[in-house]
């Protein structure tokens, strides 16, 4: 009896020791890393992370210039218990149809952090290779449940890599993964996984434009068939650029305050397909064209759409939208800031009077 206990104890210690070795902190020497695959960044079409709760996808759009993030919150009916029973099959099909209608998908342009994310896959390297482990040992690496899957696809459709995400290694922020094809287990840096899991915070493009205001020499303001051009080339005694009337060197406080509000505008959200369709019938109420000398460096357009009244007789409330060359799409912006900007348009066009 004691002999059998000693044998089992020895096997347990060996198993724990193997797991501990695999989870040791990564080496500083990247020469020891193992390359799992190497895709050129411009050949990556999609990187996705899917769990039972949501699917996050960083996907290249048809113009091949920008990546968008799509976050699909899954409905409760997405995961069903599949059985051979005919009634269960019918129930599964009904749940799938319900899931498609209930699923909520949010889309937004990816910011510069997407470049850092894509670099993790060019090449995609493992800190350590554990190899193929038996079914009885999958729990040691947090791989006993297929909860989260990382997938990378190429633009030519020929390369498709998929990994099950396991638990974190002991004392580090690294994670175990298992190749769904070869069943090999690896230890990788968790950075790309964390970025995708927190995509709304890490990848959301909130800047409306990327022009540096110090590069702007003039701005053309168009509203209600009226046009006003103001300059941005005069510097005050502190060396700060000031907004002035054309041909003048006196700073105009009204212009400055108004342009400061424009400068602080950020993206709140990106429109749904339905909202984009509705906006097509809405006229612009303001357009700004920023120039560097004679060269246009950014154009901003603004619309406002009436929100449905919550009750009869309720005051009118508008959503405000902006379009920039930088984003090339309409985005929702702050109502409070835009109400203040809209209120002062006439004053700005009239020269601050």
């Amino acid at each position: 009896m004691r002999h059998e206990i000693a044998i089992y104890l020895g096997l347990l210690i060996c198993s724990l020791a193997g797991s501990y070795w695999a989870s040791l902190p990564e080496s500083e020497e990247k020469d020891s890393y193992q390359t799992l695959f190497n895709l050129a960044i411009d050949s990556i079409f999609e990187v996705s992370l899917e769990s039972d709760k949501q699917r996050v996808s960083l996907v290249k759009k048809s113009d091949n210039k920008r990546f968008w993030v799509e976050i699909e919150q899954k409905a409760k009916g997405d995961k069903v218990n599949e059985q051979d029973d005919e009634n269960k099959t019918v129930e599964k099909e009904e749940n799938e149809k319900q899931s498609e209608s209930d699923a909520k998908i949010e889309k937004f342009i990816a910011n510069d952090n997407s470049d850092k994310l894509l670099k993790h896959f060019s090449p995609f390297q493992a800190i350590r290779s554990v190899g193929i482990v038996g079914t009885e040992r999958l729990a040691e690496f947090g791989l006993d449940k297929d909860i989260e899957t990382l997938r990378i696809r190429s633009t030519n459709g020929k390369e498709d890599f998929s990994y099950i995400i396991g638990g974190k290694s002991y004392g580090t922020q690294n994670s175990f993964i298992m190749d769904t094809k070869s069943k090999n287990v690896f230890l990788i840096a968790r950075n790309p996984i964390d970025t995708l899991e927190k995509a709304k915070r890490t990848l959301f493009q909130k800047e409306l434009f990327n022009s540096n205001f110090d590069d702007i020499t003039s701005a053309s303001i168009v509203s209600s068939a009226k046009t006003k051009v103001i300059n941005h080339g005069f510097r005050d005694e502190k060396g700060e650029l000031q907004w002035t009337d054309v041909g003048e060197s006196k700073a105009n406080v009204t212009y400055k305050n108004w342009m400061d509000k424009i400068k602080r505008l950020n993206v709140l959200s990106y429109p749904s397909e339905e909202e984009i369709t509705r906006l097509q019938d809405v006229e612009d109420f303001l357009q700004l064209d920023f120039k560097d000398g004679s060269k246009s460096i950014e154009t901003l357009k603004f619309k406002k759409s009436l929100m449905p009244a919550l009750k009869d007789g309720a005051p009118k409330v508008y959503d405000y939208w902006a379009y920039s060359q930088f984003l090339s799409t309409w985005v929702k912006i702050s109502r409070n800031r835009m109400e203040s900007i809209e209120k002062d348009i006439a004053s700005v066009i009239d020269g601050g009077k």
Side-chain angles (χ1 to χ4, degrees):
M1 181 69 177
R2 291 182 179 178
H3 179 67
E4 291 179 353
I5 293 175
I7 292 175
Y8 288 133
L9 183 60
L11 290 173
L12 177 61
I13 292 173
C14 290
S15 176
L16 292 175
S19 178
Y20 174 74
W21 171 84
S23 64
L24 287 174
E26 64 181 281
S27 167
E28 294 297 326
E29 298 296 330
K30 286 210 170 187
D31 290 341
S32 65
Y33 285 18
Q34 179 175 336
T35 297
L36 305 187
F37 64 81
N38 190 3
L39 288 177
I41 290 178
D42 59 4
S43 70
I44 297 175
F45 170 69
E46 181 184 29
V47 178
S48 65
L49 186 68
E50 185 168 7
S51 69
D52 57 345
K53 294 181 180 179
Q54 68 174 13
R55 183 179 189 277
V56 180
S57 176
L58 178 69
V59 59
K60 184 182 292 185
K61 290 302 181 181
S62 57
D63 60 8
N64 287 328
K65 294 180 180 179
R66 280 192 180 278
F67 277 86
W68 281 66
V69 176
E70 298 180 357
I71 302 178
E72 177 184 354
Q73 302 296 338
K74 295 185 178 180
K76 293 181 179 179
D78 279 5
K79 294 287 183 180
V80 295
N81 184 22
E82 296 185 35
Q83 297 184 14
D84 293 333
D85 185 85
E86 291 183 4
N87 293 331
K88 289 293 182 180
T89 301
V90 172
E91 181 182 346
K92 176 177 179 290
E93 291 175 352
E94 290 177 351
N95 281 338
E96 286 176 346
K97 291 179 181 178
Q98 183 66 28
S99 296
E100 289 177 3
S101 60
D102 289 347
K104 296 180 180 179
I105 301 179
E106 180 180 5
K107 300 179 182 181
F108 53 85
I109 291 175
N111 60 22
D112 290 342
N113 286 331
S114 61
D115 295 333
K116 299 176 184 177
L117 174 63
L118 294 173
K119 286 179 181 178
H120 281 286
F121 306 106
S122 184
F124 188 35
Q125 294 183 309
I127 298 168
R128 185 173 292 112
S129 173
V130 179
I132 298 176
V133 300
T135 305
E136 70 281 358
R137 292 191 59 205
L138 289 177
E140 296 176 20
F141 304 96
L143 293 164
D144 53 327
K145 296 179 181 179
D146 184 1
I147 295 177
E148 202 168 33
T149 303
L150 176 68
R151 185 181 181 189
I152 304 93
R153 294 194 293 153
S154 64
T155 52
N156 60 17
K158 296 180 180 179
E159 294 166 293
D160 191 336
F161 306 95
S162 184
Y163 302 90
I164 295 173
I165 307 301
K168 292 182 180 179
S169 64
Y170 180 80
T172 76
Q173 292 298 310
N174 304 321
S175 281
F176 294 106
I177 62 171
M178 182 170 67
D179 190 317
T180 58
K181 296 176 182 176
S182 70
K183 305 304 179 183
N184 279 302
V185 175
F186 304 94
L187 182 67
I188 65 163
R190 192 179 166 82
N191 308 61
I193 301 170
D194 289 337
T195 298
L196 287 168
E197 285 183 341
K198 304 170 185 176
K200 187 64 183 288
R201 188 172 69 189
T202 59
L203 295 173
F204 188 89
Q205 173 61 48
K206 67 177 183 178
E207 286 77 23
L208 180 59
F209 47 85
N210 67 341
S211 299
N212 187 334
F213 261 51
D214 283 351
D215 295 334
I216 298 171
T217 59
S218 68
S220 174
I221 306 163
V222 181
S223 180
S224 301
K226 294 182 178 180
T227 301
K228 176 74 175 182
V229 178
I230 57 178
N231 278 356
H232 193 229
F234 170 72
R235 293 185 181 273
D236 62 14
E237 61 276 4
K238 296 181 181 179
E240 296 180 358
L241 284 167
Q242 301 295 321
W243 291 98
T244 67
D245 282 306
V246 176
E248 304 227 354
S249 59
K250 182 180 179 181
N252 189 302
V253 177
T254 299
Y255 300 161
K256 178 185 182 302
N257 293 339
W258 195 73
M259 280 298 183
D260 283 346
K261 294 176 185 177
I262 296 288
K263 187 178 180 179
R264 289 196 296 268
L265 288 175
N266 281 322
V267 179
L268 292 184
S269 64
Y270 289 74
S272 64
E273 295 298 327
E274 182 182 351
E275 287 172 325
I276 290 176
T277 300
R278 288 205 304 264
L279 284 173
Q280 291 176 354
D281 299 325
V282 180
E283 296 291 330
D284 303 349
F285 72 88
L286 174 65
Q287 177 173 318
L288 301 177
D289 185 23
F290 295 120
K291 291 186 176 182
D292 179 3
S294 60
K295 178 184 176 182
S296 177
I297 58 176
E298 181 59 87
T299 297
L300 303 178
K301 299 178 182 179
F302 298 89
K303 296 177 184 282
K304 62 179 183 178
S305 59
L306 183 64
M307 293 182 63
L310 297 177
K311 60 181 180 179
D312 293 339
K316 293 181 178 180
V317 180
Y318 293 89
D319 280 328
Y320 285 84
W321 305 85
Y323 182 98
S324 67
Q325 289 178 331
F326 173 58
L327 295 181
S328 298
T329 186
W330 287 98
V331 294
K332 187 179 290 186
I333 52 181
S334 168
R335 181 183 301 116
N336 290 337
R337 288 184 178 178
M338 278 309 302
E339 284 177 343
S340 176
I341 289 171
E342 183 183 20
K343 180 174 66 70
D344 291 336
I345 291 176
S347 177
V348 171
I349 289 181
D350 289 339
K353 298 177 182 177

